[in-house]
Amino acid sequence: MILDSIRLENFGAYGGLNEAELTPADRQPVVLFGGMNGGGKTTLLDALLLVLYGPKAKVSNRSGRMAYDSYLRECIHRGGDPGEGASITLRFRRMMEGQTHYFELQRSWREGLKGIEETVHVSRDGEPDPILTEHWDEVVEAYLPVSISNLFFFDGEQIKELAEGSNAAHILGTAIRSLLGLDLVDRLEGDLKTFERRKKADALHPEAAKKLKQAEHELQEFDGQLEKVALERGRLTNEAGRLARDAKIKEDRFKAEGG
């Protein structure tokens, strides 16, 4: 699987239409993205994971308790129209049966009358592929499981974590368990607990169920606010560091000139 390009439209910090070429040029086999904190580097990586895995994506700015539709709502650019929503389009190629095939995967969502409406479209060699579109979750899990995605998709801030012995052992162990199917029992246990919670919620009195749903919604709102505060704190920390460096440079120049 070779990534060719990614296009973001009103996603996170990226307002409007933004496209990045991911195919390395001849004699330049590495594509680098640089920028200060809050510049959108991690957002770009999150977009790549989100378009591939949807609700299963291990993105950086989604807390464990945040519902998927709430996360998608938060990902729509602040200056964008929620009714028009946002989208991520990934173009890649893959060798199949000795031939190279070109794919385009698009995940888009918008705020509709009944909440967030998400659509996924997949085309192969320029033609829409309804089978891949309908079964994309199973297809991507077959040749690039989400449980090993952190071995392939990570940014500079995660290199230290991957390089440390204890963390690397845990990550590799999880990947091997997934590849061998040894995590099936754990996944079934998680699915059973989810099903049990839903059945209990269905059995509640309508008034109690309404209060529970409202409380869950408020919790998701608080989680979203915490995420925004954390991002703003990172931006301010970065700005404070820059100003401190500027002040140090000016102070050294002042002393050098006899001050």
Side-chain angles (χ1 to χ4, degrees):
M1 181 179 182
I2 299 176
L3 306 181
D4 288 318
S5 68
I6 186 169
R7 185 173 69 233
L8 312 178
E9 186 169 5
N10 287 328
F11 177 75
Y14 295 90
L17 188 63
N18 301 267
E19 186 166 0
E21 294 294 330
L22 303 178
T23 305
D26 293 338
R27 294 192 175 186
Q28 294 178 327
V30 178
V31 178
L32 294 177
F33 292 89
M36 304 182 76
N37 290 345
K41 303 186 301 298
T42 303
T43 302
L44 185 64
L45 182 63
D46 286 343
L48 181 59
L49 292 169
L50 181 59
V51 70
L52 286 172
Y53 300 109
K56 297 180 181 179
K58 299 179 180 180
V59 291
S60 64
N61 58 346
R62 180 188 176 190
S63 64
R65 293 176 296 182
M66 179 180 285
Y68 180 58
D69 57 347
S70 298
Y71 172 71
L72 291 181
R73 187 178 291 107
E74 290 291 331
C75 285
I76 299 176
H77 183 67
R78 294 180 180 179
D81 181 2
E84 296 182 0
S87 68
I88 308 170
T89 305
L90 178 67
R91 294 189 179 94
F92 63 94
R93 70 188 90 157
R94 185 183 175 214
M95 184 73 69
M96 301 173 63
E97 299 179 353
Q99 293 185 344
T100 301
H101 294 275
Y102 294 85
F103 298 86
E104 180 176 287
L105 166 66
Q106 183 183 73
R107 188 179 299 272
S108 59
W109 61 95
R110 57 183 291 274
E111 185 76 57
L113 296 177
K114 297 182 179 180
I116 292 295
E117 301 172 355
E118 182 189 37
T119 57
V120 177
H121 295 287
V122 184
S123 64
R124 179 167 68 172
D125 298 328
E127 297 293 333
D129 193 317
I131 296 179
L132 282 179
T133 297
E134 183 178 358
H135 301 283
W136 174 252
D137 291 343
E138 295 90 341
V139 171
V140 70
E141 192 68 22
Y143 66 84
L144 190 58
V146 66
S147 56
I148 64 173
S149 61
N150 52 3
L151 297 179
F152 300 93
F153 304 115
F154 54 88
D155 59 13
E157 296 175 356
Q158 296 170 297
I159 292 179
K160 181 176 181 294
E161 180 181 353
L162 290 171
E164 291 179 346
S166 59
N167 291 329
H170 174 72
I171 293 172
L172 289 174
T174 301
I176 292 174
R177 283 171 56 84
S178 174
L179 289 173
L180 297 179
L182 301 179
D183 63 339
L184 179 60
V185 175
D186 295 335
R187 287 189 281 117
L188 289 176
E189 183 180 3
D191 293 341
L192 182 59
K193 289 181 178 179
T194 302
F195 178 74
E196 185 179 5
R197 285 196 299 268
R198 289 178 179 174
K199 295 299 291 184
K200 287 182 178 179
D202 293 340
L204 289 175
H205 186 275
E207 186 64 27
K210 182 179 179 180
K211 291 182 178 179
L212 176 61
K213 187 174 182 180
Q214 182 179 358
E216 290 176 344
H217 179 72
E218 291 176 355
L219 181 60
Q220 292 169 7
E221 291 288 338
F222 287 138
D223 285 338
Q225 292 175 15
L226 284 173
E227 295 291 344
K228 291 180 179 178
V229 170
L231 290 174
E232 181 66 12
R233 179 182 180 183
R235 186 189 68 80
L236 292 174
T237 300
N238 184 78
E239 180 69 10
R242 184 185 66 81
L243 293 174
R245 288 192 298 271
D246 290 346
K248 182 66 168 58
I249 292 173
K250 292 177 180 178
E251 182 179 354
D252 291 343
R253 184 183 303 167
F254 178 69
K255 291 181 180 178
E257 294 177 355

